Amino acid sequence: GQQLNQSPQSMFIQEGEDVSMNCTSSSIFNTWLWYKQEPGEGPVLLIALYKAGELTSNGRLTAQFGITRKDSFLNISASIPSDVGIYFCAGRLTGGGNKLTFGTGTQLKVEL
Amino acid sequence: SQTIHQWPATLVQPVGSPLSLECTVEGTSNPNLYWYRQAAGRGLQLLFYSVGIGQISSEVPQNLSASRPQDRQFILSSKKLLLSDSGFYLCAWSVPVGLGYTFGSGTRLTVV
């Protein structure tokens, strides 16, 4: 099945740094979602985006629905050790019902 | 409020043995239900999804099957496990049209 291209694949950053990751596709999506998965747990929804150009924040996290509707971005400001985990983007294709397509994940590690 | 339960949390099974993983959802009716597999802590592979009792769609050909005997119960099975069936299995639910998926806490399956 189709997958979203997510980058970077992994990041190793210093505590306090800002983090950016993105997700791209050749198809148009009508919804973009960002999830975080901690070790041994299921992914948890962080942010949902429903309109092209939409910018939504959740604490130190900010996500944007790309204007072309083919991409989305997630930024984490002033990273802290508990930000470690795998971040997944997910999108819902127009006409795709409620099926989500997931990105390949970005593994984030934070160094104290 | 809605909750999703998945069990067992971990499972070690010999090659050739049968498998049954169960997932139940509480606090909602007629949910869409999904089974995902995650290998090596990375990408999420959709295995099966169901939009109603007895309605199962398979995304990839494999050694596994799924059943939905009740509205809020989703079961993942195998008659004979293979080594390649090892992985982290996640159940998820969603409303038919709406927000993202809510994931269970996962089952770590190791086939030996």
Side-chain angles (χ1 to χ4, degrees):
Chain A
Q2 177 178 25
Q3 276 204 317
L4 298 172
N5 299 312
Q6 193 171 340
S7 65
Q9 193 174 42
S10 63
M11 301 180 73
F12 194 24
I13 63 170
Q14 299 278 338
E15 183 179 7
E17 286 185 0
D18 296 343
V19 174
S20 292
M21 60 190 78
N22 68 76
C23 210
T24 61
S25 172
S26 57
S27 301
I28 292 176
F29 287 81
N30 61 28
T31 303
W32 284 96
L33 305 160
W34 285 91
Y35 285 83
K36 178 189 177 186
Q37 184 182 27
E38 299 191 5
E41 298 291 329
V44 174
L45 181 65
L46 299 173
I47 294 178
L49 303 157
Y50 300 103
K51 287 168 43 177
E54 181 180 353
L55 190 70
T56 298
S57 294
N58 178 4
R60 292 177 296 105
L61 278 62
T62 302
Q64 185 165 23
F65 193 139
I67 292 292
T68 66
R69 297 170 65 191
K70 294 182 179 180
D71 56 12
S72 180
F73 308 88
L74 177 69
N75 295 311
I76 305 173
S77 61
S79 58
I80 60 178
S82 61
D83 288 335
V84 298
I86 301 177
Y87 291 79
F88 289 101
C89 63
R92 184 177 290 119
L93 286 165
T94 302
N98 203 32
K99 283 178 62 178
L100 290 179
T101 300
F102 280 86
T104 47
T106 294
Q107 185 154 33
L108 181 63
K109 299 179 182 178
V110 180
E111 186 177 61
L112 295 174
Chain B
S1 62
Q2 302 92 353
T3 56
I4 179 168
H5 302 281
Q6 195 178 336
W7 66 92
T10 59
L11 192 59
V12 180
Q13 292 282 100
V15 169
S17 65
L19 172 74
S20 180
L21 301 181
E22 190 163 343
C23 174
T24 60
V25 181
E26 296 177 358
T28 188
S29 296
N30 195 32
N32 286 359
L33 297 171
Y34 311 85
W35 277 111
Y36 281 84
R37 177 167 59 201
Q38 185 177 31
R42 292 312 302 271
L44 299 168
Q45 181 186 34
L46 179 62
L47 301 175
F48 301 96
Y49 70 95
S50 171
V51 299
I53 295 174
Q55 301 178 59
I56 308 294
S57 295
S58 174
E59 289 293 298
V60 294
Q62 60 208 313
N63 184 42
L64 302 168
S65 62
S67 62
R68 184 170 178 174
Q70 300 179 46
D71 181 44
R72 289 168 291 177
Q73 184 185 29
F74 205 23
I75 298 172
L76 184 69
S77 304
S78 173
K79 292 182 180 178
K80 288 186 178 182
L81 283 169
L82 306 172
L83 287 173
S84 57
D85 291 324
S86 294
F88 191 50
Y89 289 83
L90 289 158
C91 179
W93 77 273
S94 71
V95 296
V97 180
L99 297 179
Y101 302 168
T102 300
F103 285 87
S105 54
T107 295
R108 172 74 59 193
L109 171 66
T110 304
V111 182
V112 297

